[in-house]
Amino acid sequence: MTSETGESWDRSMAAVDGNVVTVPLRESPGSGVYEVEYQVTPPGKAALTGSYRFTVDLPGPTPPWVWLAVLVGLAGLVLLAFRLARR
């Protein structure tokens, strides 16, 4: 499997179980368009080749304002706990 930039993502040989072929990846690919090229050569027959493309669309990083809201909320809870403890 290769990315749009030609980087290879597979890490070892394919495993075959019945009519299912599995190829482990180095890691989870990031967002982008990927192409899988394959060649299967059955015993005594001509090779079957082909390819297919797919897209991975992962969500982007958490926006900074979300982390700021969490921080402000936690600070408010700590302040409230401190005030209640002083009573």
Side-chain angles (χ1 to χ4, degrees):
M1 181 173 84
T2 57
S3 68
E4 292 173 302
T5 61
E7 182 178 8
S8 178
W9 282 85
D10 56 328
R11 64 178 178 150
S12 65
M13 296 297 292
V16 179
D17 183 12
N19 62 353
V20 176
V21 178
T22 305
V23 179
L25 302 179
R26 291 185 288 139
E27 59 190 66
S28 178
S31 294
V33 177
Y34 295 87
E35 181 173 19
V36 175
E37 295 178 339
Y38 59 88
Q39 178 176 333
V40 179
T41 308
K45 300 200 177 189
L48 305 170
T49 60
S51 67
Y52 61 90
R53 295 171 69 94
F54 65 94
T55 302
V56 175
D57 189 17
L58 299 174
T62 304
W65 66 266
V66 172
W67 294 116
L68 181 59
V70 169
L71 182 61
V72 168
L74 287 174
L77 288 175
V78 169
L79 182 59
L80 178 63
F82 182 71
R83 286 189 178 183
L84 290 176
R86 292 186 71 193
R87 287 186 178 185

